[in-house]
PDB file of all heavy atoms in Angstrom:
ATOM      1  N   VAL M 149       3.779  21.038  40.409  1.00  0.00           N
ATOM      2  CA  VAL M 149       3.760  21.455  39.007  1.00  0.00           C
ATOM      3  C   VAL M 149       2.982  22.758  38.865  1.00  0.00           C
ATOM      4  O   VAL M 149       1.831  22.856  39.293  1.00  0.00           O
ATOM      5  CB  VAL M 149       3.137  20.365  38.107  1.00  0.00           C
ATOM      6  CG1 VAL M 149       2.989  20.876  36.679  1.00  0.00           C
ATOM      7  CG2 VAL M 149       3.998  19.117  38.121  1.00  0.00           C
ATOM      8  N   ASN M 150       3.624  23.740  38.258  1.00  0.00           N
ATOM      9  CA  ASN M 150       2.960  25.008  37.970  1.00  0.00           C
ATOM     10  C   ASN M 150       2.313  24.908  36.591  1.00  0.00           C
ATOM     11  O   ASN M 150       2.994  25.009  35.566  1.00  0.00           O
ATOM     12  CB  ASN M 150       3.971  26.153  38.018  1.00  0.00           C
ATOM     13  CG  ASN M 150       3.351  27.496  37.657  1.00  0.00           C
ATOM     14  OD1 ASN M 150       2.121  27.628  37.580  1.00  0.00           O
ATOM     15  ND2 ASN M 150       4.181  28.498  37.427  1.00  0.00           N
ATOM     16  N   PHE M 151       1.006  24.701  36.553  1.00  0.00           N
ATOM     17  CA  PHE M 151       0.314  24.505  35.280  1.00  0.00           C
ATOM     18  C   PHE M 151       0.343  25.751  34.399  1.00  0.00           C
ATOM     19  O   PHE M 151       0.052  25.678  33.207  1.00  0.00           O
ATOM     20  CB  PHE M 151      -1.139  24.088  35.529  1.00  0.00           C
ATOM     21  CG  PHE M 151      -1.287  22.736  36.161  1.00  0.00           C
ATOM     22  CD1 PHE M 151      -2.039  22.560  37.308  1.00  0.00           C
ATOM     23  CD2 PHE M 151      -0.667  21.635  35.611  1.00  0.00           C
ATOM     24  CE1 PHE M 151      -2.177  21.310  37.898  1.00  0.00           C
ATOM     25  CE2 PHE M 151      -0.788  20.371  36.186  1.00  0.00           C
ATOM     26  CZ  PHE M 151      -1.547  20.215  37.329  1.00  0.00           C
ATOM     27  N   ASN M 152       0.677  26.905  34.978  1.00  0.00           N
ATOM     28  CA  ASN M 152       0.719  28.149  34.203  1.00  0.00           C
ATOM     29  C   ASN M 152       2.092  28.410  33.585  1.00  0.00           C
ATOM     30  O   ASN M 152       2.266  29.402  32.887  1.00  0.00           O
ATOM     31  CB  ASN M 152       0.317  29.336  35.090  1.00  0.00           C
ATOM     32  CG  ASN M 152      -1.127  29.247  35.538  1.00  0.00           C
ATOM     33  OD1 ASN M 152      -2.005  28.876  34.759  1.00  0.00           O
ATOM     34  ND2 ASN M 152      -1.395  29.557  36.789  1.00  0.00           N
ATOM     35  N   ALA M 153       3.059  27.541  33.854  1.00  0.00           N
ATOM     36  CA  ALA M 153       4.392  27.706  33.279  1.00  0.00           C
ATOM     37  C   ALA M 153       4.353  27.490  31.776  1.00  0.00           C
ATOM     38  O   ALA M 153       3.463  26.824  31.245  1.00  0.00           O
ATOM     39  CB  ALA M 153       5.366  26.733  33.931  1.00  0.00           C
ATOM     40  N   GLU M 154       5.338  28.063  31.073  1.00  0.00           N
ATOM     41  CA  GLU M 154       5.394  27.930  29.613  1.00  0.00           C
ATOM     42  C   GLU M 154       5.855  26.538  29.196  1.00  0.00           C
ATOM     43  O   GLU M 154       5.565  26.076  28.101  1.00  0.00           O
ATOM     44  CB  GLU M 154       6.358  28.980  29.031  1.00  0.00           C
ATOM     45  CG  GLU M 154       5.847  30.408  29.119  1.00  0.00           C
ATOM     46  CD  GLU M 154       4.647  30.646  28.233  1.00  0.00           C
ATOM     47  OE1 GLU M 154       4.572  30.027  27.150  1.00  0.00           O
ATOM     48  OE2 GLU M 154       3.779  31.436  28.614  1.00  0.00           O
ATOM     49  N   ILE M 155       6.600  25.859  30.074  1.00  0.00           N
ATOM     50  CA  ILE M 155       7.094  24.511  29.803  1.00  0.00           C
ATOM     51  C   ILE M 155       6.541  23.576  30.867  1.00  0.00           C
ATOM     52  O   ILE M 155       6.707  23.829  32.059  1.00  0.00           O
ATOM     53  CB  ILE M 155       8.632  24.468  29.810  1.00  0.00           C
ATOM     54  CG1 ILE M 155       9.205  25.465  28.796  1.00  0.00           C
ATOM     55  CG2 ILE M 155       9.135  23.064  29.512  1.00  0.00           C
ATOM     56  CD1 ILE M 155      10.713  25.552  28.818  1.00  0.00           C
ATOM     57  N   LEU M 156       5.876  22.501  30.448  1.00  0.00           N
ATOM     58  CA  LEU M 156       5.241  21.586  31.394  1.00  0.00           C
ATOM     59  C   LEU M 156       5.837  20.180  31.282  1.00  0.00           C
ATOM     60  O   LEU M 156       6.052  19.688  30.163  1.00  0.00           O
ATOM     61  CB  LEU M 156       3.736  21.506  31.136  1.00  0.00           C
ATOM     62  CG  LEU M 156       2.923  22.777  31.359  1.00  0.00           C
ATOM     63  CD1 LEU M 156       1.465  22.529  30.983  1.00  0.00           C
ATOM     64  CD2 LEU M 156       3.017  23.234  32.806  1.00  0.00           C
ATOM     65  N   PRO M 157       6.109  19.520  32.421  1.00  0.00           N
ATOM     66  CA  PRO M 157       6.553  18.120  32.370  1.00  0.00           C
ATOM     67  C   PRO M 157       5.369  17.222  32.041  1.00  0.00           C
ATOM     68  O   PRO M 157       4.316  17.319  32.666  1.00  0.00           O
ATOM     69  CB  PRO M 157       7.060  17.878  33.796  1.00  0.00           C
ATOM     70  CG  PRO M 157       6.258  18.822  34.643  1.00  0.00           C
ATOM     71  CD  PRO M 157       6.007  20.041  33.790  1.00  0.00           C
ATOM     72  N   VAL M 158       5.522  16.363  31.062  1.00  0.00           N
ATOM     73  CA  VAL M 158       4.427  15.479  30.655  1.00  0.00           C
ATOM     74  C   VAL M 158       4.914  14.036  30.608  1.00  0.00           C
ATOM     75  O   VAL M 158       6.107  13.768  30.419  1.00  0.00           O
ATOM     76  CB  VAL M 158       3.836  15.880  29.283  1.00  0.00           C
ATOM     77  CG1 VAL M 158       3.113  17.207  29.378  1.00  0.00           C
ATOM     78  CG2 VAL M 158       4.921  15.935  28.211  1.00  0.00           C
ATOM     79  N   THR M 159       3.977  13.110  30.769  1.00  0.00           N
ATOM     80  CA  THR M 159       4.288  11.684  30.728  1.00  0.00           C
ATOM     81  C   THR M 159       3.223  10.947  29.938  1.00  0.00           C
ATOM     82  O   THR M 159       2.079  11.397  29.828  1.00  0.00           O
ATOM     83  CB  THR M 159       4.347  11.077  32.143  1.00  0.00           C
ATOM     84  OG1 THR M 159       3.072  11.247  32.778  1.00  0.00           O
ATOM     85  CG2 THR M 159       5.418  11.729  32.994  1.00  0.00           C
ATOM     86  N   CYS M 160       3.615   9.801  29.392  1.00  0.00           N
ATOM     87  CA  CYS M 160       2.672   8.884  28.753  1.00  0.00           C
ATOM     88  C   CYS M 160       3.317   7.510  28.792  1.00  0.00           C
ATOM     89  O   CYS M 160       4.297   7.272  28.084  1.00  0.00           O
ATOM     90  CB  CYS M 160       2.364   9.303  27.319  1.00  0.00           C
ATOM     91  SG  CYS M 160       1.103   8.267  26.531  1.00  0.00           S
ATOM     92  N   GLY M 161       2.801   6.644  29.655  1.00  0.00           N
ATOM     93  CA  GLY M 161       3.462   5.371  29.853  1.00  0.00           C
ATOM     94  C   GLY M 161       4.852   5.600  30.417  1.00  0.00           C
ATOM     95  O   GLY M 161       5.031   6.304  31.409  1.00  0.00           O
ATOM     96  N   LYS M 162       5.871   5.038  29.750  1.00  0.00           N
ATOM     97  CA  LYS M 162       7.255   5.226  30.187  1.00  0.00           C
ATOM     98  C   LYS M 162       7.889   6.476  29.587  1.00  0.00           C
ATOM     99  O   LYS M 162       9.028   6.825  29.945  1.00  0.00           O
ATOM    100  CB  LYS M 162       8.089   3.996  29.802  1.00  0.00           C
ATOM    101  CG  LYS M 162       7.655   2.718  30.500  1.00  0.00           C
ATOM    102  CD  LYS M 162       8.534   1.553  30.091  1.00  0.00           C
ATOM    103  CE  LYS M 162       8.104   0.267  30.800  1.00  0.00           C
ATOM    104  NZ  LYS M 162       8.937  -0.883  30.394  1.00  0.00           N
ATOM    105  N   MET M 163       7.182   7.159  28.706  1.00  0.00           N
ATOM    106  CA  MET M 163       7.729   8.348  28.066  1.00  0.00           C
ATOM    107  C   MET M 163       7.628   9.557  28.987  1.00  0.00           C
ATOM    108  O   MET M 163       6.604   9.766  29.654  1.00  0.00           O
ATOM    109  CB  MET M 163       6.986   8.644  26.759  1.00  0.00           C
ATOM    110  CG  MET M 163       7.251   7.653  25.656  1.00  0.00           C
ATOM    111  SD  MET M 163       8.943   7.768  25.015  1.00  0.00           S
ATOM    112  CE  MET M 163       8.829   9.323  24.105  1.00  0.00           C
ATOM    113  N   MET M 164       8.686  10.365  29.017  1.00  0.00           N
ATOM    114  CA  MET M 164       8.693  11.612  29.762  1.00  0.00           C
ATOM    115  C   MET M 164       9.215  12.708  28.844  1.00  0.00           C
ATOM    116  O   MET M 164      10.127  12.487  28.047  1.00  0.00           O
ATOM    117  CB  MET M 164       9.578  11.508  31.006  1.00  0.00           C
ATOM    118  CG  MET M 164       9.111  10.467  32.012  1.00  0.00           C
ATOM    119  SD  MET M 164      10.210  10.361  33.455  1.00  0.00           S
ATOM    120  CE  MET M 164       9.974  11.983  34.171  1.00  0.00           C
ATOM    121  N   GLY M 165       8.628  13.874  28.923  1.00  0.00           N
ATOM    122  CA  GLY M 165       9.056  14.960  28.066  1.00  0.00           C
ATOM    123  C   GLY M 165       8.641  16.307  28.611  1.00  0.00           C
ATOM    124  O   GLY M 165       8.080  16.415  29.708  1.00  0.00           O
TER     125      GLY M 165
END
Side-chain angles (χ1 to χ4, degrees):
V149 174
N150 177 12
F151 293 127
N152 295 319
E154 290 293 327
I155 303 176
L156 295 177
V158 292
T159 60
C160 184
K162 296 181 180 179
M163 290 291 288
M164 298 179 65

